[in-house]
Amino acid sequence: MCGIVGYIGYREAVPLLVESLEKLEYRGYDSAGVVFPEENRLNFIKKTGKLAALKEKLAVQSYQAKMGIGHTRWATHGKPSDNNAHPHTDCTGCFAVVHNGIIENYLTLREWLQSQGHTFHSQTDTEVLPHLIEHFYQGDLIAAVLNTVSKLEGSFAMAVISSHEPDRVVAVRQDSPLVVGLGEGENFLASDIPAILKHTRKAYILNDGEIALIQSGEVKVSDWQLNVINKEVMEIKWEAEQAEKGGYDHFMLKEINEQPKALHDTLGGRIAADGSGVILDEIKMTPEEIKDLKKIYIVACGTAYHAGLVGKYIIEKLVHLPVEVDIASEFRYRHLVIDPGSLVVVISQSGETADTLAAMREAKRLRAKVIAVTNVVGSSVSREADGVIYTWAGPEIAVASTKAYTTQLEAMYLFALYLAEQRGTVEPGEIRKIILEMKKLAAKSQTILENTVEIRDFAREFAGCKDVFFIGRGLDYSVAMEGSLKLKEISYIHAEAYAAGELKHGTLALIEEQMPVVALATQENLFDKMVSNIQEVNARGANVIAFAMEGLKDVEKVADKVIYIPKTHPVLAPVLTVIPLQLLAYHTAVERGCDVDKPRNLAKSVTVE
């Protein structure tokens, strides 16, 4: 979740750009940079690390420029480094670009540009943008930007300046946010409102498919066909802290609502154009190695462990390989027997989880091949693994993981489908069917987020409870474990997840009158048995709230209340089912007055044993 800033007006631009970048530090970043016109050229200054390092580099002299753009980078393509930091330039040094998002077809574009004589200096997807603008420039910066945009696949918010036209900033948006701040004799640009709040509370919110020409005295917004758009001025009434959260009360709620975009981004560039298969070159396994696999170990902690449980089910179902899932702190101390043909998959949002890192190193010591699923480029896990599947969720600020979990699930689906395709264990038609439904997950998750009134009502009921039970079968049991964890870690209510088929083996003794039970019933092949299990707790006086797949209406006969999730392929149901459980935990914690973003005794990344 990189940060873009821009300024054009009558003040010195560089200090203002740095100050604006500081307002976006909460988003997370690994490098920062600015660019501005100076003596008929562009001056690029960028640095890996915190903004303090960039400020120290800028402090060597003063700069008189009255316009410029800046960026804080959260790495997706290419490790954190000075070369990979934004802004990026073209061969001539006359065009500068800062960019948020993912250019899915950048490799194809890069190869074509290199064939045209262009030279690249970074590993990023962004660097193709200034080279394309250079290629298309014929005296009109807006035309060159629009020609560039026409070649792009993916998501992007982009700001562009050129030494050829030093009186303007051009900004364009598709699937990544951009805000234009309006001033008197000056105007501002940012990817998020906190960057501009000190200077103005009037703004244009750019929509997808819009381009803005920003000059000191005016802002013109049009669509990509250059039809002028009369934008409504937004009056920003948020305070600074609230603005960092995008108007949400907590980072956790913001991050829950960012899941549609995170799911879209993680899928980006990894599906064949015709939807027939998965592109996953980053795992760096040959077809022979994949065919020789005998067993897979999945190792993780906490929420990532729950993602691994879903991964086990999917891989066994689609790839027909035995999978063992282990908590990293247990795996690393076992007497491991890792035979040739074994693969270890480690899952860690931060890529720095101490137990997971130690488990990975033990696996490598035993000569196992290791694939990592992580959200942080350049993290220890990503550096030491043999191959990496990045989840492009952006930074998570709240301690309780939400969008990291759903993107980890998506990564496991991609991995399983890729293995199945290579090993020939699933018919091509079935792979295509699952992929088609995966592409709809972002939109369906947005539908869930737009209908949350019932969840809030349930949260008010849960707020006074001491115990809550979650039950499910198959994939639903894995999701029940994650739902239970979310509730207990932020609301401090005792919550447990049970395999519904185990109720008769002891758990039913805990059920008493009005005991809250959350029952998950999304798996059609287990639905009749799950209905029977719900009946068992209902008959003993439990208050049952069921979450079921659309169309499975018989659950209404045994549950007190039912919420339906949009219909999808059964193996993909966990992505959609967990979202209302996240919201249930969130609203329950709010009702109880808990510190949602920073629950007691917990840390975001557990980097010590």
Side-chain angles (χ1 to χ4, degrees), residues 71-111:
H71 192 267
T72 51
R73 177 178 187 251
W74 172 272
T76 55
H77 296 77
K79 66 183 180 180
S81 69
D82 289 356
N83 280 345
N84 288 335
H86 295 214
H88 287 287
T89 187
D90 65 307
C91 297
T92 68
C94 295
F95 301 94
V97 172
V98 292
H99 159 243
N100 292 351
I102 297 167
I103 306 303
E104 296 173 8
N105 60 333
Y106 85 99
L107 283 175
T108 302
L109 293 171
R110 183 177 177 125
E111 289 170 3

Side-chain angles (χ1 to χ4, degrees), residues 155-186:
S155 60
F156 47 87
M158 188 193 324
V160 185
I161 63 171
S162 171
S163 58
H164 296 308
E165 301 182 32
D167 64 339
R168 59 190 56 196
V169 177
V170 176
V172 62
R173 169 192 166 144
Q174 182 64 39
D175 293 326
S176 288
L178 271 181
V179 179
V180 180
L182 307 174
E184 295 291 334
E186 60 182 353

Side-chain angles (χ1 to χ4, degrees), residues 89-277:
T89 187
D90 65 307
C91 297
T92 68
C94 295
F95 301 94
V97 172
V98 292
H99 159 243
N100 292 351
I102 297 167
I103 306 303
E104 296 173 8
N105 60 333
Y106 85 99
L107 283 175
T108 302
L109 293 171
R110 183 177 177 125
E111 289 170 3
W112 178 77
L113 285 162
Q114 287 173 325
S115 74
Q116 301 297 305
H118 290 261
T119 302
F120 286 77
H121 300 284
S122 80
Q123 302 165 302
T124 68
D125 56 333
T126 299
E127 197 181 356
V128 301
L129 301 175
H131 288 283
L132 284 169
I133 292 168
E134 175 197 356
H135 175 81
F136 288 119
Y137 187 74
Q138 295 183 340
D140 185 338
L141 185 59
I142 286 184
V145 171
L146 287 174
N147 276 318
T148 295
V149 164
S150 71
K151 304 297 181 185
L152 304 181
E153 297 173 11
S155 60
F156 47 87
M158 188 193 324
V160 185
I161 63 171
S162 171
S163 58
H164 296 308
E165 301 182 32
D167 64 339
R168 59 190 56 196
V169 177
V170 176
V172 62
R173 169 192 166 144
Q174 182 64 39
D175 293 326
S176 288
L178 271 181
V179 179
V180 180
L182 307 174
E184 295 291 334
E186 60 182 353
N187 288 300
F188 309 83
L189 178 70
S191 51
D192 214 346
I193 287 171
I196 66 172
L197 266 187
K198 181 178 178 180
H199 306 290
T200 182
R201 287 182 175 268
K202 294 182 178 181
Y204 291 147
I205 309 299
L206 295 188
N207 295 321
D208 289 345
E210 292 183 349
I211 186 168
L213 170 62
I214 306 168
Q215 297 178 284
S216 57
E218 66 176 342
V219 175
K220 294 180 180 177
V221 180
S222 60
D223 62 22
W224 292 353
Q225 288 71 47
L226 293 180
N227 299 306
V228 174
I229 298 171
N230 294 314
K231 297 288 289 185
E232 181 180 349
V233 176
M234 176 184 179
E235 294 282 348
I236 304 166
K237 298 178 181 178
W238 302 335
E239 295 306 315
E241 184 180 356
Q242 187 184 16
E244 289 181 1
K245 298 166 185 168
Y248 294 102
D249 291 335
H250 298 92
F251 281 111
M252 182 180 177
L253 185 58
K254 179 175 183 280
E255 288 157 9
I256 289 171
N257 280 273
E258 286 173 345
Q259 286 176 116
K261 182 180 185 302
L263 289 166
H264 174 272
D265 288 349
T266 296
L267 211 57
R270 288 168 166 163
I271 300 297
D274 62 358
S276 62

Side-chain angles (χ1 to χ4, degrees), residues 398-453:
V399 167
S401 183
T402 53
K403 61 179 180 173
Y405 172 75
T406 47
T407 53
Q408 285 165 357
L409 293 184
E410 199 165 53
M412 296 310 295
Y413 293 135
L414 288 166
F415 183 55
L417 286 167
Y418 184 76
L419 295 184
E421 190 177 354
Q422 294 292 314
R423 291 171 63 94
T425 52
V426 177
E427 289 294 325
E430 182 65 13
I431 289 177
R432 188 183 290 271
K433 186 189 302 182
I434 295 173
I435 286 173
L436 179 62
E437 286 301 316
M438 283 181 72
K439 292 167 74 173
K440 297 176 183 177
L441 286 175
K444 290 179 178 180
S445 62
Q446 186 62 48
T447 299
I448 293 171
L449 291 167
E450 290 168 359
N451 298 279
T452 64
V453 174

